Amino acid sequence: MHTSVTPRSKLPDVGTNIFTVIGQLSAAHQAINLSQGAPNFPCAEALIQQVNEAMLAGHNQYAPMTGLPALKQAVADKVARLYGQHYDVDHEILITASASQGLYSAIAGLVHPGDEVIFFEPSFDSYAPIVRLQGAIPVGLKLHFPDFHIDWDQVRASITPRTRMIIINTPHNPTGQVLSKDDLAALAAVTRDTDIVVLSDEVYEHVVFEGAAHHGMATHPELATRSVTVSSFGKTFHVTGWRVGYCLAPAALMEEVVKVHQFMMFSADTPMQHGLAAWMQTADHYLGLSAFYQRKRDTLATLLEDSPFRLLPSAGSFFMLADYSHFSDETDSEMVKRLIVEYGVATLPLSAFYTDGTDHKIIRLSFAKDEATLRAGAQALCLVNPR
Ligand code: GLN
């Protein structure tokens, strides 16, 4: 008789993440899905054709380890044009198999056991577990409620000699807030004369509303010298399932990120890289993305005017928060379940983005959906009975 091995878990408190749990519940109840930040509309057909052509042309073996030169060049050109920062194609740009893999590689490559990593909550769910897997300590600072700005005095007070990294996310998932120029100045001031690395998750860099500029690390020459910026082709070109992203960093930082990448993935998907490189050469497709998503945000907000929910302002990303604290005492998880089971619409509880489960009685809505889905989802939310 053989008994199976029970491992000593490295993440004993971690279960299946909220995107999967709610996705499954939503599917089981055939709910309208406003939960995951993934488009339910197609990408450009010409982009698919470019990938098909790459496959048919035989580009089906390993890509160069740090990425296809033509794709890295397209990224370098875009970043220089939009943000003014010049990244060296050979040493400062890495194509990754998803932005998530870029985040993992940056944290694993640069954070040592016992180091502290500051991040801001609510936050995307992977940051803290990745830090813990390095034997390091995630230090979650809460964004100021209810407008979710960063309290820079709190950041300054939280920095210790062991602080190795600060994780930034702008535009922000799940709150839809964006960093301002003043935020960048404050970040530069608190990190000046330290060896703290900034890891900046900018996967929604092309989704910033009201004509505002994206204030990423590449727009700030001083911060760029200490930053690893992570972005995503999936979010930008409606292909989140392709799992292709990229990192930007000065050569010395990038060298360590690449060391992890080469043992984790070796290289990202080859035909997708060829397709994306060819696609990026045809036009600056990302330029219309902010207006495209702003229309979706506004459509959903208008349709929800007759709902009992109070919407919080969204300045960027695929997301908008909705407050129900004035009409129900339910926890946000109870509310999300009830919305799926009784009203057939799936959203996410904001508490899932806090390591301590803070419940503000707020849910997250994704408007990265086609018009019919936004309409049907809003219609369901308008039927909710205040109790
Ligand atoms: N980034 C997306 C979101 O926040 C999807 C994340 C995921 O499914 N792992 O909804």
Side-chain angles (χ1 to χ4, degrees), residues 55-102:
M55 287 183 177
L56 291 169
H59 297 300
N60 299 301
Q61 309 307 325
Y62 299 119
M65 192 263 279
T66 62
L68 197 72
L71 184 57
K72 292 198 291 176
Q73 188 66 55
V75 169
D77 292 346
K78 179 197 82 167
V79 171
R81 197 164 53 241
L82 292 183
Y83 308 135
Q85 187 68 29
H86 294 268
Y87 287 92
D88 180 80
V89 172
D90 293 327
H91 304 104
E92 301 187 322
I93 299 181
L94 171 68
I95 307 297
T96 54
S98 79
S100 286
Q101 190 235 315

mmCIF file of all heavy atoms in Angstrom, residues 55-102:
data_model
loop_
_atom_site.group_PDB
_atom_site.id
_atom_site.type_symbol
_atom_site.label_atom_id
_atom_site.label_comp_id
_atom_site.label_asym_id
_atom_site.label_seq_id
_atom_site.Cartn_x
_atom_site.Cartn_y
_atom_site.Cartn_z
ATOM 1 N N MET A 55 3.095 31.146 -38.335
ATOM 2 C CA MET A 55 3.108 29.686 -38.135
ATOM 3 C C MET A 55 3.345 28.958 -39.455
ATOM 4 O O MET A 55 4.149 28.031 -39.542
ATOM 5 C CB MET A 55 1.773 29.222 -37.546
ATOM 6 C CG MET A 55 1.586 29.576 -36.093
ATOM 7 S SD MET A 55 0.013 28.881 -35.545
ATOM 8 C CE MET A 55 0.053 29.347 -33.835
ATOM 9 N N LEU A 56 2.615 29.401 -40.498
ATOM 10 C CA LEU A 56 2.750 28.739 -41.802
ATOM 11 C C LEU A 56 4.143 28.948 -42.394
ATOM 12 O O LEU A 56 4.644 28.108 -43.141
ATOM 13 C CB LEU A 56 1.667 29.260 -42.763
ATOM 14 C CG LEU A 56 0.243 28.824 -42.385
ATOM 15 C CD1 LEU A 56 -0.797 29.585 -43.191
ATOM 16 C CD2 LEU A 56 0.065 27.316 -42.567
ATOM 17 N N ALA A 57 4.764 30.067 -42.023
ATOM 18 C CA ALA A 57 6.115 30.334 -42.531
ATOM 19 C C ALA A 57 7.174 29.574 -41.731
ATOM 20 O O ALA A 57 8.367 29.696 -41.999
ATOM 21 C CB ALA A 57 6.393 31.837 -42.484
ATOM 22 N N GLY A 58 6.721 28.804 -40.744
ATOM 23 C CA GLY A 58 7.664 27.942 -40.031
ATOM 24 C C GLY A 58 8.239 28.535 -38.751
ATOM 25 O O GLY A 58 9.194 27.985 -38.193
ATOM 26 N N HIS A 59 7.637 29.613 -38.253
ATOM 27 C CA HIS A 59 8.158 30.205 -37.004
ATOM 28 C C HIS A 59 7.532 29.512 -35.803
ATOM 29 O O HIS A 59 6.740 30.100 -35.068
ATOM 30 C CB HIS A 59 7.859 31.702 -36.975
ATOM 31 C CG HIS A 59 8.535 32.469 -38.060
ATOM 32 N ND1 HIS A 59 9.907 32.519 -38.203
ATOM 33 C CD2 HIS A 59 8.038 33.214 -39.084
ATOM 34 C CE1 HIS A 59 10.228 33.265 -39.250
ATOM 35 N NE2 HIS A 59 9.106 33.689 -39.800
ATOM 36 N N ASN A 60 7.886 28.264 -35.628
ATOM 37 C CA ASN A 60 7.232 27.453 -34.595
ATOM 38 C C ASN A 60 8.198 26.865 -33.580
ATOM 39 O O ASN A 60 7.810 26.022 -32.766
ATOM 40 C CB ASN A 60 6.420 26.335 -35.259
ATOM 41 C CG ASN A 60 5.340 26.913 -36.164
ATOM 42 O OD1 ASN A 60 4.483 27.665 -35.708
ATOM 43 N ND2 ASN A 60 5.406 26.603 -37.441
ATOM 44 N N GLN A 61 9.445 27.296 -33.627
ATOM 45 C CA GLN A 61 10.419 26.807 -32.640
ATOM 46 C C GLN A 61 10.758 27.950 -31.678
ATOM 47 O O GLN A 61 10.243 29.050 -31.802
ATOM 48 C CB GLN A 61 11.665 26.274 -33.342
ATOM 49 C CG GLN A 61 11.360 25.258 -34.458
ATOM 50 C CD GLN A 61 10.470 24.101 -34.014
ATOM 51 O OE1 GLN A 61 10.556 23.646 -32.871
ATOM 52 N NE2 GLN A 61 9.596 23.620 -34.898
ATOM 53 N N TYR A 62 11.634 27.662 -30.717
ATOM 54 C CA TYR A 62 11.978 28.665 -29.704
ATOM 55 C C TYR A 62 12.310 30.025 -30.310
ATOM 56 O O TYR A 62 13.058 30.120 -31.274
ATOM 57 C CB TYR A 62 13.211 28.229 -28.914
ATOM 58 C CG TYR A 62 13.046 26.938 -28.154
ATOM 59 C CD1 TYR A 62 13.868 25.846 -28.440
ATOM 60 C CD2 TYR A 62 12.095 26.808 -27.151
ATOM 61 C CE1 TYR A 62 13.743 24.657 -27.732
ATOM 62 C CE2 TYR A 62 11.966 25.618 -26.444
ATOM 63 C CZ TYR A 62 12.787 24.546 -26.736
ATOM 64 O OH TYR A 62 12.667 23.380 -26.055
ATOM 65 N N ALA A 63 11.786 31.041 -29.711
ATOM 66 C CA ALA A 63 12.191 32.405 -30.058
ATOM 67 C C ALA A 63 13.507 32.701 -29.331
ATOM 68 O O ALA A 63 13.870 31.998 -28.390
ATOM 69 C CB ALA A 63 11.107 33.377 -29.614
ATOM 70 N N PRO A 64 14.216 33.759 -29.747
ATOM 71 C CA PRO A 64 15.392 34.161 -28.964
ATOM 72 C C PRO A 64 14.995 34.364 -27.500
ATOM 73 O O PRO A 64 13.867 34.792 -27.218
ATOM 74 C CB PRO A 64 15.818 35.481 -29.598
ATOM 75 C CG PRO A 64 15.258 35.431 -30.992
ATOM 76 C CD PRO A 64 13.993 34.629 -30.905
ATOM 77 N N MET A 65 15.904 34.068 -26.583
ATOM 78 C CA MET A 65 15.569 34.019 -25.159
ATOM 79 C C MET A 65 14.909 35.308 -24.645
ATOM 80 O O MET A 65 13.922 35.254 -23.912
ATOM 81 C CB MET A 65 16.842 33.684 -24.360
ATOM 82 C CG MET A 65 16.592 33.318 -22.932
ATOM 83 S SD MET A 65 16.840 34.724 -21.875
ATOM 84 C CE MET A 65 18.623 34.699 -21.707
ATOM 85 N N THR A 66 15.431 36.457 -25.001
ATOM 86 C CA THR A 66 14.850 37.696 -24.461
ATOM 87 C C THR A 66 13.756 38.271 -25.364
ATOM 88 O O THR A 66 13.177 39.305 -25.034
ATOM 89 C CB THR A 66 15.926 38.781 -24.236
ATOM 90 O OG1 THR A 66 16.523 39.100 -25.497
ATOM 91 C CG2 THR A 66 16.992 38.305 -23.262
ATOM 92 N N GLY A 67 13.477 37.617 -26.478
ATOM 93 C CA GLY A 67 12.388 38.085 -27.332
ATOM 94 C C GLY A 67 12.826 38.287 -28.764
ATOM 95 O O GLY A 67 14.024 38.407 -29.060
ATOM 96 N N LEU A 68 11.858 38.332 -29.647
ATOM 97 C CA LEU A 68 12.105 38.552 -31.066
ATOM 98 C C LEU A 68 12.623 39.990 -31.249
ATOM 99 O O LEU A 68 11.956 40.925 -30.813
ATOM 100 C CB LEU A 68 10.779 38.378 -31.809
ATOM 101 C CG LEU A 68 10.851 38.169 -33.313
ATOM 102 C CD1 LEU A 68 11.397 36.782 -33.616
ATOM 103 C CD2 LEU A 68 9.443 38.326 -33.899
ATOM 104 N N PRO A 69 13.787 40.179 -31.893
ATOM 105 C CA PRO A 69 14.325 41.545 -32.023
ATOM 106 C C PRO A 69 13.315 42.535 -32.617
ATOM 107 O O PRO A 69 13.223 43.668 -32.143
ATOM 108 C CB PRO A 69 15.548 41.352 -32.942
ATOM 109 C CG PRO A 69 15.986 39.941 -32.674
ATOM 110 C CD PRO A 69 14.726 39.159 -32.420
ATOM 111 N N ALA A 70 12.547 42.102 -33.620
ATOM 112 C CA ALA A 70 11.603 43.048 -34.244
ATOM 113 C C ALA A 70 10.530 43.499 -33.258
ATOM 114 O O ALA A 70 10.085 44.653 -33.289
ATOM 115 C CB ALA A 70 10.948 42.396 -35.462
ATOM 116 N N LEU A 71 10.107 42.613 -32.367
ATOM 117 C CA LEU A 71 9.085 42.991 -31.387
ATOM 118 C C LEU A 71 9.691 43.898 -30.313
ATOM 119 O O LEU A 71 9.083 44.890 -29.900
ATOM 120 C CB LEU A 71 8.462 41.735 -30.756
ATOM 121 C CG LEU A 71 7.307 42.004 -29.793
ATOM 122 C CD1 LEU A 71 6.181 42.797 -30.464
ATOM 123 C CD2 LEU A 71 6.754 40.696 -29.225
ATOM 124 N N LYS A 72 10.911 43.557 -29.882
ATOM 125 C CA LYS A 72 11.577 44.424 -28.894
ATOM 126 C C LYS A 72 11.803 45.821 -29.469
ATOM 127 O O LYS A 72 11.636 46.831 -28.770
ATOM 128 C CB LYS A 72 12.907 43.796 -28.460
ATOM 129 C CG LYS A 72 12.703 42.512 -27.662
ATOM 130 C CD LYS A 72 13.926 42.118 -26.870
ATOM 131 C CE LYS A 72 15.066 41.665 -27.741
ATOM 132 N NZ LYS A 72 16.268 41.376 -26.948
ATOM 133 N N GLN A 73 12.149 45.867 -30.761
ATOM 134 C CA GLN A 73 12.353 47.165 -31.414
ATOM 135 C C GLN A 73 11.042 47.952 -31.457
ATOM 136 O O GLN A 73 11.025 49.156 -31.184
ATOM 137 C CB GLN A 73 12.887 46.959 -32.845
ATOM 138 C CG GLN A 73 13.309 48.250 -33.535
ATOM 139 C CD GLN A 73 14.524 48.899 -32.862
ATOM 140 O OE1 GLN A 73 15.560 48.256 -32.696
ATOM 141 N NE2 GLN A 73 14.381 50.158 -32.441
ATOM 142 N N ALA A 74 9.947 47.264 -31.755
ATOM 143 C CA ALA A 74 8.639 47.940 -31.808
ATOM 144 C C ALA A 74 8.285 48.505 -30.427
ATOM 145 O O ALA A 74 7.761 49.617 -30.310
ATOM 146 C CB ALA A 74 7.561 46.973 -32.288
ATOM 147 N N VAL A 75 8.602 47.748 -29.378
ATOM 148 C CA VAL A 75 8.335 48.218 -28.016
ATOM 149 C C VAL A 75 9.227 49.422 -27.699
ATOM 150 O O VAL A 75 8.766 50.446 -27.184
ATOM 151 C CB VAL A 75 8.566 47.085 -26.991
ATOM 152 C CG1 VAL A 75 8.546 47.628 -25.568
ATOM 153 C CG2 VAL A 75 7.511 45.989 -27.161
ATOM 154 N N ALA A 76 10.517 49.308 -28.032
ATOM 155 C CA ALA A 76 11.456 50.402 -27.752
ATOM 156 C C ALA A 76 10.996 51.683 -28.443
ATOM 157 O O ALA A 76 11.002 52.764 -27.839
ATOM 158 C CB ALA A 76 12.861 50.021 -28.217
ATOM 159 N N ASP A 77 10.593 51.546 -29.709
ATOM 160 C CA ASP A 77 10.160 52.730 -30.472
ATOM 161 C C ASP A 77 8.913 53.359 -29.847
ATOM 162 O O ASP A 77 8.817 54.569 -29.698
ATOM 163 C CB ASP A 77 9.839 52.342 -31.930
ATOM 164 C CG ASP A 77 11.094 51.941 -32.691
ATOM 165 O OD1 ASP A 77 12.204 52.214 -32.191
ATOM 166 O OD2 ASP A 77 10.958 51.343 -33.785
ATOM 167 N N LYS A 78 7.961 52.520 -29.466
ATOM 168 C CA LYS A 78 6.731 53.020 -28.861
ATOM 169 C C LYS A 78 7.019 53.762 -27.561
ATOM 170 O O LYS A 78 6.522 54.871 -27.325
ATOM 171 C CB LYS A 78 5.771 51.853 -28.587
ATOM 172 C CG LYS A 78 4.474 52.266 -27.942
ATOM 173 C CD LYS A 78 3.714 51.109 -27.313
ATOM 174 C CE LYS A 78 4.238 50.788 -25.934
ATOM 175 N NZ LYS A 78 3.343 49.897 -25.164
ATOM 176 N N VAL A 79 7.827 53.150 -26.722
ATOM 177 C CA VAL A 79 8.119 53.747 -25.412
ATOM 178 C C VAL A 79 8.868 55.070 -25.580
ATOM 179 O O VAL A 79 8.579 56.061 -24.901
ATOM 180 C CB VAL A 79 8.912 52.744 -24.535
ATOM 181 C CG1 VAL A 79 9.409 53.407 -23.256
ATOM 182 C CG2 VAL A 79 8.036 51.531 -24.202
ATOM 183 N N ALA A 80 9.814 55.092 -26.509
ATOM 184 C CA ALA A 80 10.574 56.333 -26.738
ATOM 185 C C ALA A 80 9.646 57.434 -27.245
ATOM 186 O O ALA A 80 9.708 58.577 -26.791
ATOM 187 C CB ALA A 80 11.695 56.074 -27.742
ATOM 188 N N ARG A 81 8.762 57.054 -28.156
ATOM 189 C CA ARG A 81 7.863 58.036 -28.762
ATOM 190 C C ARG A 81 6.855 58.569 -27.744
ATOM 191 O O ARG A 81 6.620 59.761 -27.633
ATOM 192 C CB ARG A 81 7.131 57.359 -29.922
ATOM 193 C CG ARG A 81 6.486 58.277 -30.907
ATOM 194 C CD ARG A 81 6.126 57.543 -32.201
ATOM 195 N NE ARG A 81 5.340 56.353 -31.983
ATOM 196 C CZ ARG A 81 5.718 55.114 -32.324
ATOM 197 N NH1 ARG A 81 6.887 54.922 -32.897
ATOM 198 N NH2 ARG A 81 4.949 54.080 -32.097
ATOM 199 N N LEU A 82 6.272 57.676 -26.950
ATOM 200 C CA LEU A 82 5.215 58.100 -26.026
ATOM 201 C C LEU A 82 5.757 58.700 -24.737
ATOM 202 O O LEU A 82 5.170 59.621 -24.189
ATOM 203 C CB LEU A 82 4.319 56.913 -25.661
ATOM 204 C CG LEU A 82 3.430 56.321 -26.744
ATOM 205 C CD1 LEU A 82 2.570 55.210 -26.155
ATOM 206 C CD2 LEU A 82 2.540 57.387 -27.372
ATOM 207 N N TYR A 83 6.844 58.134 -24.226
ATOM 208 C CA TYR A 83 7.267 58.498 -22.868
ATOM 209 C C TYR A 83 8.645 59.165 -22.810
ATOM 210 O O TYR A 83 9.058 59.619 -21.751
ATOM 211 C CB TYR A 83 7.269 57.252 -21.972
ATOM 212 C CG TYR A 83 5.958 56.484 -22.005
ATOM 213 C CD1 TYR A 83 5.941 55.095 -22.120
ATOM 214 C CD2 TYR A 83 4.724 57.144 -21.926
ATOM 215 C CE1 TYR A 83 4.752 54.384 -22.154
ATOM 216 C CE2 TYR A 83 3.522 56.440 -21.965
ATOM 217 C CZ TYR A 83 3.545 55.063 -22.083
ATOM 218 O OH TYR A 83 2.368 54.362 -22.122
ATOM 219 N N GLY A 84 9.373 59.132 -23.936
ATOM 220 C CA GLY A 84 10.653 59.842 -23.976
ATOM 221 C C GLY A 84 11.845 59.070 -23.432
ATOM 222 O O GLY A 84 12.958 59.591 -23.394
ATOM 223 N N GLN A 85 11.627 57.831 -23.008
ATOM 224 C CA GLN A 85 12.734 57.062 -22.436
ATOM 225 C C GLN A 85 13.245 56.063 -23.472
ATOM 226 O O GLN A 85 12.454 55.348 -24.092
ATOM 227 C CB GLN A 85 12.248 56.317 -21.181
ATOM 228 C CG GLN A 85 13.330 55.614 -20.394
ATOM 229 C CD GLN A 85 14.300 56.565 -19.720
ATOM 230 O OE1 GLN A 85 13.940 57.699 -19.371
ATOM 231 N NE2 GLN A 85 15.538 56.144 -19.545
ATOM 232 N N HIS A 86 14.562 56.017 -23.665
ATOM 233 C CA HIS A 86 15.151 55.112 -24.665
ATOM 234 C C HIS A 86 15.696 53.862 -23.984
ATOM 235 O O HIS A 86 16.635 53.946 -23.201
ATOM 236 C CB HIS A 86 16.246 55.834 -25.457
ATOM 237 C CG HIS A 86 15.698 56.943 -26.297
ATOM 238 N ND1 HIS A 86 15.302 56.774 -27.608
ATOM 239 C CD2 HIS A 86 15.413 58.235 -25.984
ATOM 240 C CE1 HIS A 86 14.822 57.912 -28.072
ATOM 241 N NE2 HIS A 86 14.875 58.820 -27.107
ATOM 242 N N TYR A 87 15.086 52.720 -24.254
ATOM 243 C CA TYR A 87 15.563 51.445 -23.717
ATOM 244 C C TYR A 87 16.337 50.712 -24.795
ATOM 245 O O TYR A 87 15.882 50.621 -25.947
ATOM 246 C CB TYR A 87 14.378 50.592 -23.231
ATOM 247 C CG TYR A 87 13.777 51.108 -21.938
ATOM 248 C CD1 TYR A 87 12.717 52.010 -21.959
ATOM 249 C CD2 TYR A 87 14.297 50.704 -20.709
ATOM 250 C CE1 TYR A 87 12.173 52.494 -20.772
ATOM 251 C CE2 TYR A 87 13.750 51.185 -19.520
ATOM 252 C CZ TYR A 87 12.694 52.086 -19.564
ATOM 253 O OH TYR A 87 12.165 52.562 -18.390
ATOM 254 N N ASP A 88 17.487 50.191 -24.416
ATOM 255 C CA ASP A 88 18.343 49.476 -25.347
ATOM 256 C C ASP A 88 17.712 48.121 -25.695
ATOM 257 O O ASP A 88 17.382 47.334 -24.805
ATOM 258 C CB ASP A 88 19.731 49.279 -24.706
ATOM 259 C CG ASP A 88 20.659 48.527 -25.632
ATOM 260 O OD1 ASP A 88 21.208 49.161 -26.534
ATOM 261 O OD2 ASP A 88 20.794 47.297 -25.460
ATOM 262 N N VAL A 89 17.563 47.882 -26.986
ATOM 263 C CA VAL A 89 16.847 46.694 -27.448
ATOM 264 C C VAL A 89 17.558 45.398 -27.006
ATOM 265 O O VAL A 89 16.905 44.394 -26.724
ATOM 266 C CB VAL A 89 16.674 46.741 -28.986
ATOM 267 C CG1 VAL A 89 16.108 45.433 -29.517
ATOM 268 C CG2 VAL A 89 15.753 47.899 -29.366
ATOM 269 N N ASP A 90 18.874 45.426 -26.920
ATOM 270 C CA ASP A 90 19.611 44.191 -26.589
ATOM 271 C C ASP A 90 19.676 43.912 -25.086
ATOM 272 O O ASP A 90 19.797 42.765 -24.678
ATOM 273 C CB ASP A 90 21.036 44.267 -27.143
ATOM 274 C CG ASP A 90 21.025 44.264 -28.664
ATOM 275 O OD1 ASP A 90 20.130 43.606 -29.234
ATOM 276 O OD2 ASP A 90 21.866 44.952 -29.269
ATOM 277 N N HIS A 91 19.636 44.943 -24.271
ATOM 278 C CA HIS A 91 19.890 44.734 -22.841
ATOM 279 C C HIS A 91 18.809 45.232 -21.901
ATOM 280 O O HIS A 91 18.898 45.032 -20.688
ATOM 281 C CB HIS A 91 21.213 45.410 -22.443
ATOM 282 C CG HIS A 91 22.374 44.942 -23.254
ATOM 283 N ND1 HIS A 91 22.931 45.698 -24.270
ATOM 284 C CD2 HIS A 91 23.054 43.777 -23.219
ATOM 285 C CE1 HIS A 91 23.914 45.014 -24.821
ATOM 286 N NE2 HIS A 91 24.015 43.852 -24.211
ATOM 287 N N GLU A 92 17.796 45.916 -22.423
ATOM 288 C CA GLU A 92 16.856 46.572 -21.500
ATOM 289 C C GLU A 92 15.387 46.266 -21.790
ATOM 290 O O GLU A 92 14.506 46.869 -21.197
ATOM 291 C CB GLU A 92 17.104 48.094 -21.522
ATOM 292 C CG GLU A 92 18.548 48.421 -21.120
ATOM 293 C CD GLU A 92 18.804 49.902 -20.951
ATOM 294 O OE1 GLU A 92 18.259 50.709 -21.726
ATOM 295 O OE2 GLU A 92 19.569 50.259 -20.038
ATOM 296 N N ILE A 93 15.143 45.347 -22.698
ATOM 297 C CA ILE A 93 13.763 44.949 -23.017
ATOM 298 C C ILE A 93 13.683 43.425 -23.019
ATOM 299 O O ILE A 93 14.566 42.759 -23.564
ATOM 300 C CB ILE A 93 13.314 45.511 -24.386
ATOM 301 C CG1 ILE A 93 13.350 47.046 -24.339
ATOM 302 C CG2 ILE A 93 11.909 45.009 -24.754
ATOM 303 C CD1 ILE A 93 12.912 47.725 -25.612
ATOM 304 N N LEU A 94 12.652 42.909 -22.363
ATOM 305 C CA LEU A 94 12.462 41.453 -22.285
ATOM 306 C C LEU A 94 11.018 41.139 -22.653
ATOM 307 O O LEU A 94 10.091 41.709 -22.076
ATOM 308 C CB LEU A 94 12.742 40.977 -20.851
ATOM 309 C CG LEU A 94 12.394 39.516 -20.536
ATOM 310 C CD1 LEU A 94 13.312 38.558 -21.288
ATOM 311 C CD2 LEU A 94 12.502 39.268 -19.018
ATOM 312 N N ILE A 95 10.833 40.250 -23.615
ATOM 313 C CA ILE A 95 9.482 39.785 -23.944
ATOM 314 C C ILE A 95 9.196 38.573 -23.053
ATOM 315 O O ILE A 95 9.996 37.632 -23.003
ATOM 316 C CB ILE A 95 9.367 39.391 -25.435
ATOM 317 C CG1 ILE A 95 9.838 40.521 -26.354
ATOM 318 C CG2 ILE A 95 7.923 38.974 -25.759
ATOM 319 C CD1 ILE A 95 9.045 41.815 -26.283
ATOM 320 N N THR A 96 8.073 38.634 -22.345
ATOM 321 C CA THR A 96 7.738 37.585 -21.373
ATOM 322 C C THR A 96 6.469 36.840 -21.797
ATOM 323 O O THR A 96 5.685 37.341 -22.601
ATOM 324 C CB THR A 96 7.491 38.207 -19.982
ATOM 325 O OG1 THR A 96 6.503 39.235 -20.117
ATOM 326 C CG2 THR A 96 8.772 38.788 -19.410
ATOM 327 N N ALA A 97 6.305 35.674 -21.225
ATOM 328 C CA ALA A 97 5.091 34.896 -21.495
ATOM 329 C C ALA A 97 4.012 35.362 -20.527
ATOM 330 O O ALA A 97 3.670 34.684 -19.573
ATOM 331 C CB ALA A 97 5.372 33.406 -21.323
ATOM 332 N N SER A 98 3.505 36.553 -20.749
ATOM 333 C CA SER A 98 2.501 37.258 -19.944
ATOM 334 C C SER A 98 3.153 38.293 -19.034
ATOM 335 O O SER A 98 4.314 38.133 -18.631
ATOM 336 C CB SER A 98 1.636 36.325 -19.086
ATOM 337 O OG SER A 98 2.319 35.919 -17.908
ATOM 338 N N ALA A 99 2.378 39.313 -18.724
ATOM 339 C CA ALA A 99 2.836 40.299 -17.745
ATOM 340 C C ALA A 99 3.020 39.629 -16.390
ATOM 341 O O ALA A 99 3.942 39.962 -15.639
ATOM 342 C CB ALA A 99 1.835 41.455 -17.645
ATOM 343 N N SER A 100 2.155 38.666 -16.081
ATOM 344 C CA SER A 100 2.290 37.949 -14.798
ATOM 345 C C SER A 100 3.670 37.314 -14.669
ATOM 346 O O SER A 100 4.284 37.356 -13.601
ATOM 347 C CB SER A 100 1.222 36.860 -14.681
ATOM 348 O OG SER A 100 -0.031 37.439 -14.418
ATOM 349 N N GLN A 101 4.157 36.725 -15.766
ATOM 350 C CA GLN A 101 5.494 36.120 -15.706
ATOM 351 C C GLN A 101 6.577 37.193 -15.551
ATOM 352 O O GLN A 101 7.588 36.976 -14.891
ATOM 353 C CB GLN A 101 5.767 35.276 -16.945
ATOM 354 C CG GLN A 101 7.039 34.440 -16.821
ATOM 355 C CD GLN A 101 8.021 34.678 -17.954
ATOM 356 O OE1 GLN A 101 7.629 34.731 -19.117
ATOM 357 N NE2 GLN A 101 9.297 34.819 -17.615
ATOM 358 N N GLY A 102 6.345 38.361 -16.134
ATOM 359 C CA GLY A 102 7.275 39.471 -15.952
ATOM 360 C C GLY A 102 7.338 39.900 -14.495
ATOM 361 O O GLY A 102 8.420 40.116 -13.938
#
